[in-house]
Amino acid sequence: MLLCLQNVCAAETVEQLRQLAGESDYADGRKTAGWAAREVKRNEQVEAGPRIDTIRNLVRKALMAHPLFVSFAQPKSITRMLVSRYTQGMEYGLHVDDALMGGRRADLSFTLFLSEPDSYQGGELVMESVDGETEIKLAPGEVVVYPTAALHRVAPVTSGERIAVVGWVRSLVRRPDQREILFDLDRACRALFERDGKTAELDLLLKSKANLLRQWAED
Ligand SMILES: O=C(O)CCC(=O)C(=O)O
Ligand SMILES: [Fe+2]
């Protein structure tokens, strides 16, 4: 299951992120890819330094303050974040992300789009599944969160420039099916609260959700 999130960053934050990314120095993205992904990775990434530290802090803060992200991902930590740039002719062919990053399990991957979608051609994030391909290209400040277990690629950019922040989340809940149950219950509880207020039935559902999280969370 993948989730697209709107309004993760306020317009001023998007502007600040774009400015920081624009002023940064970039290096060949192959440095951070595993041995197989390196074969198909053609992009550039921001080098270590104060700018990327600021970018990471801004994005971490925005994501952790987004109720839908927290409910969907049950994040324990954001294990890695990179800023990547694709200019004309660049792409990231089909690959799977590393299961462990810095010794921490990666459960979910995300992309925060920073470039206006019509300012570049191509550059869709393409998810592969048994049902076929899903193409994702979002507006600046929007985020897609998807299972790190999935094969995916970034389609070739044929003109313009695509800048994005990509990152990985270690979840408190390892199993995607369990995360999905918690996410569904959370959304149902919130909708019931909106409709009927804090009823006895809502309390029972909230109790079950909390007890399932207690069973499944690895803190
Ligand atoms: O830029 C994206 O949307 C995803 C990039 C990616 O797959 C990666 O960096 O591993
Ligand atoms: Fe990837």
Side-chain angles (χ1 to χ4, degrees):
M1 179 154 100
L2 65 80
L3 183 70
C4 293
L5 302 169
Q6 290 175 331
N7 304 321
V8 175
C9 295
E12 315 83 78
T13 313
V14 174
E15 212 31 67
Q16 202 181 347
L17 290 168
R18 281 155 68 131
Q19 196 169 339
L20 287 160
E23 292 163 352
S24 297
D25 294 324
Y26 287 76
D28 192 325
R30 274 174 283 202
K31 273 203 241 174
T32 54
W35 61 267
R38 194 170 304 143
E39 291 295 305
V40 292
K41 189 172 186 182
R42 301 283 173 268
N43 72 359
E44 296 168 319
Q45 286 166 186
V46 169
E47 294 267 64
R51 285 198 185 83
I52 191 155
D53 291 344
T54 310
I55 293 174
R56 286 180 176 132
N57 288 335
L58 287 168
V59 174
R60 179 173 287 107
K61 204 165 141 209
L63 281 172
M64 291 304 199
H66 198 287
L68 222 51
F69 173 78
V70 173
S71 171
F72 181 72
Q74 300 285 350
K76 180 180 164 91
S77 58
I78 294 179
T79 49
R80 180 185 284 178
M81 247 190 272
L82 304 168
V83 179
S84 60
R85 178 168 75 184
Y86 296 76
T87 53
Q88 197 178 346
M90 293 187 181
E91 66 179 306
Y92 196 165
L94 197 64
H95 66 281
V96 68
D97 297 336
D98 288 344
L100 295 175
M101 298 188 188
R104 295 220 138 192
R105 197 180 67 229
D107 297 306
L108 292 157
S109 309
F110 67 84
T111 301
L112 164 66
F113 289 77
L114 289 181
S115 306
E116 290 293 345
D118 54 11
S119 71
Y120 61 99
Q121 298 291 312
E124 296 81 5
L125 171 63
V126 184
M127 309 297 309
E128 294 258 328
S129 78
V130 283
D131 306 329
E133 293 193 333
T134 310
E135 292 189 353
I136 302 138
K137 187 170 186 174
L138 301 179
E142 296 185 348
V143 168
V144 58
V145 191
Y146 58 97
T148 305
L151 277 167
H152 58 281
R153 64 191 173 87
V154 177
V157 169
T158 54
S159 72
E161 182 180 87
R162 174 199 198 263
I163 295 187
V165 180
V166 298
W168 290 268
V169 179
R170 158 77 194 270
S171 179
L172 289 164
V173 180
R174 176 198 290 252
R175 282 177 44 175
D177 56 338
Q178 294 173 339
R179 282 198 302 270
E180 188 169 340
I181 291 169
L182 293 168
F183 183 54
D184 288 348
L185 278 172
D186 189 54
R187 285 184 300 160
C189 285
R190 284 172 196 270
L192 285 176
F193 179 72
E194 284 300 310
R195 202 184 64 188
D196 304 328
K198 190 173 170 303
T199 59
E201 292 80 5
L202 177 65
D203 279 344
L204 284 176
L205 279 173
L206 286 170
K207 179 181 148 198
S208 302
K209 182 169 80 82
N211 286 336
L212 286 174
L213 183 57
R214 221 183 314 279
Q215 269 187 49
W216 295 336
E218 304 160 34
D219 55 7

